[in-house]
Amino acid sequence: DTAVSQTPKYLVTQMGNDKSIKCEQNLGHDTMYWYKQDSKKFLKIMFSYNNKELIINETVPNRFSPKSPDKAHLNLHINSLELGDSAVYFCASSRRDQRTDTQYFGPGTRLTVL
Amino acid sequence: SQKIEQNSEALNIQEGKTATLTCNYTNYSPAYLQWYRQDPGRGPVFLLLIRENEKEKRKERLKVTFDTTLKQSLFHITASQPADSATYLCALATGRRALTFGSGTRLQVQP
């Protein structure tokens, strides 16, 4: 059973398009995250949701909009895609009551903007 | 500014030797530090957590040390195997209910 799943795994699109990435976790966790990993392999937090409430919103262009319909899902919608958005996007989840923020990551979505 | 630094160069070692990876940080006072493993094309996988009041933590062939005075953690893999080849990331708790990751060190174990 996949703990944290993301779709699609690969996404190739043209500049200016709008695209979404979906994430689901079946671990019963209450906190979910989106990270961006660039070509230099830095993994940077973008957003975090706890029980569907946004708790972290890093300095990310407002073209990126997360949506959490329920505790098990966190989607990422990106408007007007730019070349610099090309990266691997990882979804992750954790349990807040553990107080250690140990992250369980999805397999990643490789986004290529042409 | 806050920084987490890991050796950006790849670490190449022979099978059976001990691999030692370094994580240095500045301007943080983390309550704990975590190490993750990332294989190509996959998400990071949690390995070990060490708290600020712990000097050392072990799990099978893995050992982590945490020196809050030096602001450094060392990650050791003893009796290394080719299957240990991967990128290893350290991550700090920075008090915002999220982790801040280093850029990782790629380990290559030669048979």
Side-chain angles (χ1 to χ4, degrees):
Chain A
D1 285 342
T2 304
V4 181
S5 59
Q6 292 178 231
T7 53
K9 186 159 174 64
Y10 300 97
L11 188 50
V12 181
T13 188
Q14 299 285 335
M15 269 175 49
N17 284 350
D18 303 339
K19 290 292 178 186
S20 291
I21 308 172
K22 296 188 175 183
C23 178
E24 176 180 0
Q25 55 94 4
N26 63 5
L27 296 168
H29 289 168
D30 56 2
T31 306
M32 294 185 72
Y33 310 80
W34 278 111
Y35 287 86
K36 178 180 179 181
Q37 189 170 46
D38 61 23
S39 57
K40 294 185 179 177
K41 304 301 182 186
F42 274 105
L43 196 62
K44 288 186 180 174
I45 183 76
M46 298 173 69
F47 302 103
S48 173
Y49 271 75
N50 176 257
N51 284 321
K52 303 195 301 175
E53 181 183 346
L54 181 66
I55 56 172
I56 293 176
N57 184 351
E58 286 296 279
T59 309
V60 175
N62 58 14
R63 297 182 295 103
F64 290 78
S65 52
K67 280 196 171 49
S68 182
D70 55 57
K71 280 193 330 182
H73 296 84
L74 180 61
N75 303 323
L76 183 65
H77 188 76
I78 315 170
N79 289 327
S80 304
L81 279 155
E82 299 178 358
L83 294 176
D85 297 333
S86 296
V88 181
Y89 292 85
F90 287 101
C91 176
S93 69
S94 69
R95 274 180 54 184
R96 190 166 193 176
D97 63 354
Q98 285 189 337
R99 300 184 185 177
T100 59
D101 300 317
T102 298
Q103 312 277 295
Y104 293 79
F105 284 86
T109 296
R110 180 174 292 275
L111 171 64
T112 304
V113 183
L114 303 175
Chain B
S1 63
Q2 297 172 322
K3 271 188 192 176
I4 303 173
E5 291 183 340
Q6 296 185 251
N7 280 357
S8 57
E9 302 293 327
L11 180 62
N12 291 295
I13 64 167
Q14 285 298 120
E15 183 175 6
K17 301 290 187 187
T18 295
T20 299
L21 285 66
T22 305
C23 177
N24 293 300
Y25 60 93
T26 57
N27 297 327
Y28 285 112
S29 295
Y32 54 83
L33 185 148
Q34 301 186 14
W35 284 88
Y36 288 74
R37 169 183 173 142
Q38 186 173 22
D39 291 283
R42 294 178 175 259
V45 174
F46 171 74
L47 295 175
L48 277 171
L49 177 149
I50 187 165
R51 297 182 190 280
E52 59 180 339
N53 59 351
E54 297 175 317
K55 294 293 184 191
E56 183 179 295
K57 202 80 167 280
R58 289 177 188 260
K59 179 182 174 183
E60 297 171 355
R61 294 183 296 110
L62 308 180
K63 184 178 88 170
V64 173
T65 63
F66 193 12
D67 189 325
T68 55
T69 302
L70 289 179
K71 294 188 181 293
Q72 181 182 78
S73 175
L74 299 178
F75 177 81
H76 306 272
I77 306 175
T78 57
S80 59
Q81 304 165 0
D84 296 326
S85 299
T87 295
Y88 292 86
L89 304 165
C90 71
L92 303 186
T94 54
R96 299 178 307 133
R97 304 302 312 181
L99 298 175
T100 301
F101 284 83
S103 59
T105 298
R106 190 160 60 86
L107 173 66
Q108 188 71 37
V109 181
Q110 307 289 349

